[in-house]
Each structure stands twice: as C-alpha cells, then as structure tokens.
Amino acid sequence: MKILIVDDFSTMRRIVKNLLRDLGFTNTSEADDGSTALPMLQQGDFDFLVTDWNMPGMTGIELLQKVRADERLRSLPVLMVTAEAKREQIVAAAQAGVNGYVVKPFTAAVLKEKIEKIFERVEG
Amino acid sequence: MSESNQPVIAQATSEEMKTLAQNMVESIERGELTHAVSLVSQLNDVRDKTLYEEIGRLTRALHESIKNLNIETVGAGSEIEKATDKLSYVIEMTDKSANRTMDLVDEGIPLASEMNERAAELGEQWQKFLNKELKPTEFRALTKDIQDFLAQSESQSRQIKNQFNEILLAQDFQDLTGQVIQKVGTLVRDVESQLVNLVVMAGTVDKITGIQHHGLDAEPEAEPDSPIKAEGPQIDTSVDGVVASQDDVDDLLSSLGF
C-alpha cells in the first residue's frame, strides 16, 4: 500500500505520516502542494492519496479534480484532511469525487475510521 | 469628531450674509436693481470664501492623517513590516515546537513498545512458572531475564519521563506566540481606526467641494463565493454554513449518499 501525503505544512505531513505508520502503512511519500503531487501520482504507483485543501500553487480540490479527470488516476481513493469546514465546501468536495473528508483538528481514531471505511468500499 | 467634520460657518460670516441679504431685499423693494445684483455677487463671494477656508482646513487635517499613517505604519522598517516579521516568528516557533515534540515522541515510542513486548514475554513465562510448567534450567533463565528487565525498565522509564518533561517544555511557544499575536492584533485595530478617520475626512472634503467619484458609488458587484475557494480554519463554528465537528461532516456526507 503506497500512500501520498499532500500538505503545505511539514508538521502536518509528519503527523499524518506517523499516524499512518501507526496504522501499519509504512510506505508513504510527501508533497507540499497539488502541482508537486500530480506528477508524482502520474509517475508513481500510488494506491491512496491523503491531501489538504488550502495550499499555495495547486489546492487540494484542484488536485482532486485533476485526479478524477485523469484516465489512469480516476479511481484512486482520495481522503481530504483539511481545516476547510463550510458545508458548501464539503458538498463541493463530494461532488468532485472525494472518498472521505476529515476536518482538522482531528484524532488518530477518526483518521483510522475514515481510512478503513474507504478501503472497505474500494474493496467491497 | 462629528463637529469638526461639519462645515462650520463662522458667526461673523453668517451675520455678514444676513445683513447682505436684508440689504438686497430692501434694495429690490426700493427698485434699485443694479445695487441688488451687486449685493447678490457679494453674497456669492462670502459663500466662496467660507468654502475655501473649510476646504483648506480639511485638506490640512487630511494631509496630517495621511502623514501619520505613512510614517508609523507603512513602508520599510514600519509597524506593518515589523508585524509581518512577528507573524513569521510565530510560524517559525510553532514549527520548531511541533517538530521538537514529534522528535521526542519518535524517540519515546520504541522504548515504550520494547518494554511492553518484554513485559508480555516475561508474563507468559511467569504464568508457566506459577503453573509449575518450568524446568529448573528454564526457571534460572527466567530469573535472569526478570533481573535484566527490571534494570532495563528502570532506565527506559526514566528516559521516557525525561522525554515527557521536554515535551512539556516544548509547549512554551503558546505563551510566546500568543503575546506576539496580541501585539499584531492591536496594530491592526490601530491601523483600521486611522483608516476610518481618513475615509471620514475624505468624505467630508468631497461633500463640501461637491466632488463626485463616478463609478465608486456603484456597489461593487458581489463576487459569488466559489465553494471551492480555500478559506483556512473557521474560527467561529457557530456561523451558518460552517460545520462544528467531524460528526457534522459525516452527517452531511451521509446525506449525500456517502
């Protein structure tokens, strides 16, 4: 299971990375915004994308839209982990095809629950 | 404030205008039209003079206001620049503290895991001993293992305790950054009130001179908030359209069929 973590704050990437490691996912890579992440996704064989929303350059929602528009990436599971907490934003993310949405600040339990739920659906 | 913004027509001026007007009416009644017309023109002069004086006063005040704003708050070495530096310091401090804390946690977790695993192993052996399932050689090995474990846990738990203390210390950023942010907040409020003064004064100048800014009065077209525009953390979660918790997010998504 290869996971790409996208967030402009290195501490948040580190937190997500440590939580994922605790859940048994040790094969992770990092990117600091959508425009760095997209080529990595296109070149690498990632199984899962965890992305922030608010980032300089390409935002997480734009990255999600690009992923869904890409022939080879369109079925990649995407979990959004973000401080964006407006109903219309969550609806927009859902419409763009997000698989899960976690608002910051979050707990390890919530992250675990959402990831497991996504994999249940993907596999089921 | 409101008094100084109103065009103040001095008592003397107002008396002068009254006298002129009365003379004018009397002149008309007496049929001295030429004189009446000249009085009208004198009235005009008095009005113009008052306006010029008032504009001059306001212009000086406006100039003073702009000067204050410039010198103290804008440009190189200014308060605004200092505030920007202060906010960069906040980012730096929080970054340092978060990484320091995570470094300590990264060091501590393997220690705790090791103690946990060793205790579980010894527990199994100990249970076998209580059940009288251990051979004498195995028992000797067990006593040695227990002795090692006690020494090791003593040192490892001490390390973990030290790491906890350092994690505690690493939280000092909250105090330091809090103070800095408070200062920046004060500055922002000051600048805002100076800007409001400036706008009020500029408005008065416009009113007296009758200047109209074409196009400015028109309400700027409300830009619809794109739902995909990032806004950062919502400080007030009680506002309409903002979710208060992960549960709200889950409810919303499940209502959308997730």
Side-chain angles (χ1 to χ4, degrees):
Chain A
M1 172 70 60
K2 198 170 161 195
I3 304 177
L4 182 63
I5 304 163
V6 191
D7 198 308
D8 53 334
F9 278 87
S10 65
T11 47
M12 188 46 74
R13 291 201 298 272
R14 197 172 161 186
I15 290 168
V16 172
K17 189 179 159 181
N18 284 10
L19 290 174
L20 288 173
R21 193 186 55 203
D22 212 42
L23 297 174
F25 304 110
T26 49
N27 191 3
T28 53
S29 299
E30 298 175 30
D32 62 5
D33 87 319
S35 46
T36 329
L38 192 60
M40 289 173 79
L41 290 168
Q42 284 163 341
Q43 284 156 27
D45 46 348
F46 287 98
D47 305 295
F48 189 42
L49 170 63
V50 178
T51 182
D52 182 24
W53 182 319
N54 190 6
M55 294 178 287
M58 193 195 292
T59 63
I61 191 85
E62 287 164 344
L63 177 64
L64 173 62
Q65 288 165 340
K66 290 245 175 358
V67 163
R68 290 293 175 252
D70 188 298
E71 199 59 49
R72 282 177 308 131
L73 296 175
R74 73 170 32 144
S75 62
L76 179 74
V78 179
L79 174 66
M80 200 154 250
V81 178
T82 173
E84 302 302 325
K86 279 189 148 177
R87 301 179 74 84
E88 52 177 6
Q89 291 175 316
I90 298 161
V91 172
Q95 283 165 349
V98 82
N99 300 84
Y101 199 101
V102 173
V103 279
K104 295 176 188 170
F106 58 95
T107 63
V110 165
L111 188 69
K112 181 168 186 264
E113 184 202 323
K114 301 304 163 205
I115 289 176
E116 281 171 353
K117 203 168 155 196
I118 289 173
F119 288 135
E120 260 171 44
R121 282 167 186 274
V122 170
E123 284 155 14
Chain B
M1 191 76 225
S2 63
E3 230 178 316
S4 66
N5 284 328
Q6 293 304 319
V8 184
I9 298 177
Q11 188 70 27
T13 315
S14 132
E15 286 297 324
E16 194 183 350
M17 287 173 93
K18 218 160 121 189
T19 315
L20 282 169
Q22 276 166 354
N23 289 347
M24 186 186 74
V25 173
E26 284 164 15
S27 299
I28 293 172
E29 279 168 354
R30 285 199 298 268
E32 300 168 2
L33 286 183
T34 323
H35 186 56
V37 168
S38 105
L39 285 169
V40 168
S41 128
Q42 279 181 49
L43 259 173
N44 259 334
D45 289 347
V46 173
R47 191 203 63 168
D48 285 352
K49 205 178 110 215
T50 320
L51 273 183
Y52 289 142
E53 274 168 10
E54 191 58 27
I55 289 166
R57 194 184 64 77
L58 278 168
T59 309
R60 277 189 298 279
L62 190 62
H63 183 74
E64 202 55 33
S65 220
I66 292 171
K67 213 168 70 184
N68 285 344
L69 198 64
N70 265 334
I71 289 169
E72 287 164 20
T73 50
V74 194
S78 67
E79 290 298 320
I80 295 280
E81 200 188 65
K82 278 188 220 154
T84 315
D85 288 347
K86 280 180 185 152
L87 291 179
S88 305
Y89 166 83
V90 170
I91 296 176
E92 197 186 304
M93 287 292 287
T94 49
D95 179 89
K96 217 168 82 184
S97 166
N99 279 306
R100 176 79 188 122
T101 305
M102 286 190 280
D103 283 342
L104 287 159
V105 169
D106 281 350
E107 287 167 24
I109 286 177
L111 293 178
S113 302
E114 200 191 327
M115 279 167 70
N116 175 265
E117 282 160 22
R118 293 275 295 145
E121 280 167 23
L122 287 174
E124 262 177 46
Q125 289 294 102
W126 185 250
Q127 197 53 51
K128 279 189 188 168
F129 164 71
L130 291 178
N131 296 345
K132 301 188 171 35
E133 290 166 4
L134 281 193
K135 293 174 196 143
T137 49
E138 284 174 329
F139 177 71
R140 274 195 293 279
L142 178 61
T143 54
K144 170 127 190 4
D145 285 349
I146 288 176
Q147 200 179 10
D148 289 350
F149 174 70
L150 290 175
Q152 207 185 13
S153 347
E154 199 261 324
S155 125
Q156 286 179 335
S157 56
R158 192 176 52 237
Q159 283 181 59
I160 293 173
K161 199 183 80 184
N162 290 341
Q163 284 154 354
F164 278 150
N165 279 332
E166 284 200 52
I167 287 174
L168 216 60
L169 283 178
Q171 309 314 308
D172 61 354
F173 77 95
Q174 164 62 26
D175 177 22
L176 303 170
T177 57
Q179 294 178 40
V180 167
I181 290 172
Q182 264 172 357
K183 278 194 190 137
V184 174
T186 311
L187 174 74
V188 169
R189 273 190 296 275
D190 284 354
V191 170
E192 192 201 11
S193 80
Q194 289 189 43
L195 283 176
V196 167
N197 280 346
L198 209 71
V199 168
V200 168
M201 229 172 270
T204 314
V205 170
D206 284 353
K207 208 155 64 189
I208 291 178
T209 52
I211 295 173
Q212 287 192 349
H213 300 279
H214 293 288
L216 280 185
D217 289 340
E219 282 287 310
E221 254 180 69
E223 206 174 296
D225 262 351
S226 162
I228 69 163
K229 205 174 129 236
E231 299 188 13
Q234 297 289 336
I235 308 298
D236 183 1
T237 52
S238 65
V239 172
D240 255 6
V242 173
V243 297
S245 68
Q246 182 67 39
D247 285 344
D248 289 351
V249 178
D250 295 348
D251 288 348
L252 179 57
L253 286 177
S254 80
S255 77
L256 296 169
F258 270 69

